[in-house]
Amino acid sequence: MSQNYFRKRPLFSPPHKPEKPQKRKPRIGGFLWSALKRTCMVIGAFVLISALMGAFFSSKESVPSLPKDMVLYMPIEGAYPENTHGGFTAPFGKKPLTIREAVAALEAAATDDRVRGLIAEIKGGVPGVSQIQELRAALKTFREDGNKFAYIYAESYGEAGNGLAPYYLASAFDEIWMQPIGVLSLSGMRAEMPYMRDLLDKAGVTPAFFARKEYKNAFESFMERDMSAATEESMTALIDNMASRMVHDIALTRMVPVTHLKFEIDQGLLTGKEALVAGLIDRVDYADVLVAETHAEMTGDPDNTDIPFVRLADYALAHGHEKSLLAQAVKRPVVAVIYAQGMIVSRSEGGIGRDDVAAAEDISGYIDAAAEDERVKAIVLRINSPGGSPSASETIRRALVQAQKEKGKPVIVSMGGAAASGGYWIAAPADRIFALPATLTGSIGVTGGKFILSGLWDKVGVNWGTLQWGANAGMWSMNEPLTDRSRERFNALMDNTYDAFVARVAEGRHMTPAAVEEIARGRVWSGAQALERGLVDELGGLSEALDYAAAVVGVPDQKALNVVVMPKPLTPVEELMSLLEGQVTMGQSLQTYMRQVSWLEPFLSRMDAATQTSSSGISAYEPVSVLPD
């Protein structure tokens, strides 16, 4: 087969694709409806044929062989998925690299004599801060344990802002390259929350939401016109903690004083020459120069291309295959890695969008299966969730407790970008909890309520006829204002759920309820802050959690484990069947399109949670987002 290696300039320049001939525009007239139907049929047929081709080619795809000498090429295009169910949406069924696979590949390459070095390129977006911290740890292993070079190139680091995160990643490399016309935008960190009470009042919509307690700000943007003192306090502390950690890490790897780095960050934006003089980058030059110099460094000849560049994804696939063959030859203890990704709900509605929700029905089933399997010696739960339904969170927690107490399985939690509210609810019973310094952690609190639309109906001239049996039957209706009785019931529900949350954290963390109350009250912490307060046990990513699991089951490290991922990635055929079986309502489709409008994202995320709350009662949810600017 043809090996997917890059030589010289194609490293940074994708092959030219011939332009497709433009289709004639259909005439607008009597044939419009017929043309529309034909277009839909063609699109549907194209999707089906693409899926079948993906399934066919994926089934025929062989694992690439690796050369004796190589340089890894790592394109960085955005966040890595936590877990992938299959490659249906990718060309010919090719699955994207997960964060675990990327980290594992870098760590494996550190001791692989075939790998001479690494070149990364920022081609678009970058991962979130927590994933960057996992990558930085793996890059440190690659550079120090393997004594190998690692260079990174970008046209700019945050040309239109948001440069601190890509530079935070870049600072983990030996050399930082930037195009001569590029810019380095280090404008700090910023957190934004939209406050829409005035808009709702004008629309005639009355928000009626309750929270336990003062730091639980999930729906504060609906209830208030400005940021509360509690939110300002917690968010300021969170930003300061995360920014200080990033500045410390950058200063350490770049070997510059913290005061100097802070001064340059306060400038907001540096040209290439200014960044070079400031010692924040190493070369202002072009990609082809970097490629030529890399070849010269390895062979003595810049035109010698005998040592190829191999994509990190291809290396991960080939090395994973080699590892699986070794695992078959040598019996190794099995550790199950189970993913809880997205908003926590009771069950997933169809196959589409499953990466956006953590369905308790599915996750608890995976936990039960791992607990019943005698080959599985430990369970690692990877959480990346802002929370969701308390009852669904309790279902997952219960499965973990049963795995521990009834089956004797150690449970280790690895937190990704967030394990807040319901996400922390399911983490609490673990024997050991790992968080990244930037993980949004805790938010031990609950919120709930509804929107009251009676004022809106008055404005638009809609009258509702109402029939009712039961004194409090209108409690959940968005047409009914809250009565004293319904308000009392809402508060009783809030108190009961909050007390249960505190009790479960106290049990899992071996603390008193009073001690938990001091660090709860709905407040969100960074992983570093959570460590100081006893909410987590260690700072580290999934790799560190697997090493700990290895020690628990009596082997040196994760290399001696047989790691089984649950849910298992789907084949392209299974992904196709899931797509065909899934049901997408008009409302869900509109919401998907609206999410493309980035400025609406904070509003939409809260609307998602508010909608869930209106139908299920209450929510253990934390929508906070801290953005490197």
Side-chain angles (χ1 to χ4, degrees):
M1 61 164 287
S2 61
Q3 295 174 332
N4 189 14
Y5 300 150
F6 282 73
R7 298 175 184 271
K8 291 193 73 176
R9 185 154 181 87
L11 174 61
F12 299 111
S13 300
H16 173 71
K17 296 181 180 179
E19 295 183 0
K20 296 181 180 179
Q22 294 184 351
K23 297 181 179 179
R24 292 180 59 190
K25 295 183 179 179
R27 291 179 299 172
I28 300 176
F31 297 102
L32 181 60
W33 176 244
S34 177
L36 179 62
K37 289 193 295 183
R38 291 176 182 176
T39 300
C40 292
M41 291 177 63
V42 170
I43 293 174
F46 176 77
V47 171
L48 181 60
I49 292 171
S50 297
L52 293 174
M53 289 179 64
F56 175 78
F57 281 99
S58 178
S59 64
K60 299 294 183 180
E61 182 182 23
S62 60
V63 177
S65 59
L66 295 174
K68 294 181 180 180
D69 284 302
M70 67 187 117
V71 174
L72 297 182
Y73 169 56
M74 180 180 179
I76 300 168
E77 301 174 290
Y80 291 90
E82 285 289 337
N83 189 26
T84 177
H85 294 281
F88 169 75
T89 56
F92 301 109
K94 193 165 187 177
K95 297 188 290 258
L97 203 62
T98 67
I99 183 63
R100 173 179 172 265
E101 290 168 339
V103 168
L106 290 171
E107 291 178 340
T111 55
D112 190 336
D113 293 336
R114 297 170 296 181
V115 178
R116 303 282 294 275
L118 168 72
I119 293 181
E121 180 194 10
I122 296 179
K123 298 175 66 68
V126 293
V129 176
S130 59
Q131 285 194 353
I132 288 175
Q133 289 172 339
E134 289 194 88
L135 291 171
R136 283 177 58 89
L139 287 165
K140 180 180 180 182
T141 299
F142 179 85
R143 292 170 58 192
E144 296 181 358
D145 293 3
N147 192 28
K148 299 171 182 182
F149 70 82
Y151 306 147
I152 188 168
Y153 173 88
E155 292 180 351
S156 285
Y157 296 91
E159 188 170 32
N162 298 327
L164 185 57
Y167 185 73
Y168 184 38
L169 174 59
S171 66
F173 288 78
D174 294 300
E175 291 186 8
I176 302 175
W177 287 58
M178 188 170 72
Q179 194 203 74
I181 307 301
V183 297
L184 176 59
S185 176
L186 297 177
S187 47
M189 299 189 72
R190 184 179 181 90
E192 295 181 339
M193 292 178 62
Y195 285 83
M196 290 162 261
R197 184 57 187 266
D198 287 340
L199 174 63
L200 295 176
D201 287 347
K202 291 177 182 178
V205 177
T206 302
F209 291 94
F210 303 80
R212 295 295 184 277
K213 293 188 177 181
E214 69 270 23
Y215 294 103
K216 194 65 179 180
N217 62 3
F219 301 129
E220 179 181 279
S221 57
F222 297 138
M223 297 293 293
E224 307 296 337
R225 290 176 172 81
D226 204 351
M227 189 177 292
S228 68
T231 296
E232 183 177 356
E233 174 196 350
S234 62
M235 292 300 295
T236 298
L238 181 66
I239 292 174
D240 287 346
N241 181 267
M242 294 176 66
S244 297
R245 167 73 62 163
M246 294 173 70
V247 168
H248 172 269
D249 291 346
I250 293 171
L252 187 65
T253 51
R254 292 300 300 174
M255 293 184 289
V256 298
V258 170
T259 53
H260 171 68
L261 180 59
K262 183 62 169 60
F263 172 82
E264 299 297 347
I265 289 174
D266 288 341
Q267 302 305 305
L269 184 149
L270 301 175
T271 66
K273 291 182 179 180
E274 290 172 337
L276 191 63
V277 171
L280 299 184
I281 62 175
D282 299 288
R283 287 288 295 272
V284 176
D285 219 321
Y286 297 96
D288 58 293
V289 177
L290 172 57
V291 173
E293 289 196 7
T294 301
H295 282 299
E297 181 178 340
M298 292 184 297
T299 67
D301 180 2
D303 295 321
N304 187 330
T305 60
D306 289 342
I307 299 179
F309 291 93
V310 178
R311 283 183 179 270
L312 185 66
D314 290 325
Y315 177 81
L317 179 62
H319 186 270
H321 180 67
E322 294 171 353
K323 185 177 179 181
S324 66
L325 292 177
L326 183 61
Q328 293 173 12
V330 180
K331 190 174 181 180
R332 297 178 173 184
V334 176
V335 169
V337 175
I338 301 174
Y339 285 85
Q341 163 75 21
M343 183 180 288
I344 299 174
V345 297
S346 294
R347 57 192 56 83
S348 176
E349 298 295 334
I352 297 176
R354 69 180 70 191
D355 289 331
D356 295 333
V357 297
E361 185 176 65
D362 296 335
I363 295 171
S364 61
Y366 299 137
I367 295 170
D368 291 342
E372 293 289 342
D373 194 330
E374 294 182 356
R375 296 170 299 176
V376 176
K377 304 304 179 184
I379 296 172
V380 175
L381 181 66
R382 172 70 170 193
I383 302 172
N384 186 25
S385 172
S389 165
S391 58
S393 301
E394 179 67 4
T395 298
I396 298 172
R397 190 199 72 89
R398 172 64 176 170
L400 290 172
V401 171
Q402 287 183 305
Q404 291 170 306
K405 295 184 177 179
E406 296 183 10
K407 301 298 180 180
K409 300 293 173 77
V411 173
I412 299 99
V413 160
S414 168
M415 296 177 175
S421 207
Y424 190 77
W425 188 306
I426 66 177
D431 298 294
R432 197 78 173 172
I433 299 178
F434 288 79
L436 293 155
T439 301
L440 300 178
T441 311
S443 189
I444 301 168
V446 292
T447 187
K450 65 178 183 178
F451 289 107
I452 302 169
L453 306 182
S454 54
L456 173 63
W457 303 134
D458 290 341
K459 288 178 179 291
V460 299
V462 175
N463 298 317
W464 291 76
T466 302
L467 298 174
Q468 179 170 315
W469 186 90
N472 218 10
M475 177 177 179
W476 297 106
S477 172
M478 287 195 283
N479 297 328
E480 181 76 19
L482 291 179
T483 64
D484 290 342
R485 183 184 299 229
S486 60
R487 192 178 298 275
E488 183 272 329
R489 289 290 83 203
F490 267 121
N491 280 307
L493 185 58
M494 293 291 105
D495 290 336
N496 181 70
T497 308
Y498 179 76
D499 291 344
F501 199 166
V502 170
R504 280 151 179 75
V505 173
E507 177 185 357
R509 301 304 298 164
H510 307 293
M511 302 167 68
T512 65
V516 174
E517 176 68 15
E518 291 183 6
I519 54 178
R521 310 185 71 83
R523 182 161 180 170
V524 63
W525 307 97
S526 70
Q529 291 172 316
L531 177 65
E532 297 171 353
R533 289 157 179 82
L535 292 175
V536 304
D537 298 296
E538 289 189 46
L539 294 181
L542 182 54
S543 181
E544 286 75 17
L546 286 171
D547 281 337
Y548 181 84
V552 168
V553 301
V555 295
D557 55 37
Q558 61 182 295
K559 295 178 182 178
L561 294 175
N562 181 9
V563 178
V564 177
V565 175
M566 303 172 73
K568 181 181 178 181
L570 300 180
T571 66
V573 173
E574 292 170 333
E575 192 76 7
L576 172 61
M577 295 306 298
S578 175
L579 176 69
L580 296 177
E581 292 172 0
Q583 300 295 321
V584 182
T585 66
M586 178 64 73
Q588 290 171 326
S589 298
L590 288 175
Q591 187 180 70
T592 299
Y593 289 122
M594 289 182 71
R595 284 191 179 278
Q596 305 306 313
V597 185
S598 59
W599 68 271
L600 284 174
E601 176 60 29
F603 173 75
L604 288 172
S605 64
R606 287 165 174 77
M607 286 296 294
D608 281 346
T611 302
Q612 293 286 339
T613 298
S614 298
S615 59
S616 61
I618 55 175
S619 174
Y621 170 75
E622 179 53 60
V624 67
S625 176
V626 180
L627 306 174
D629 204 15

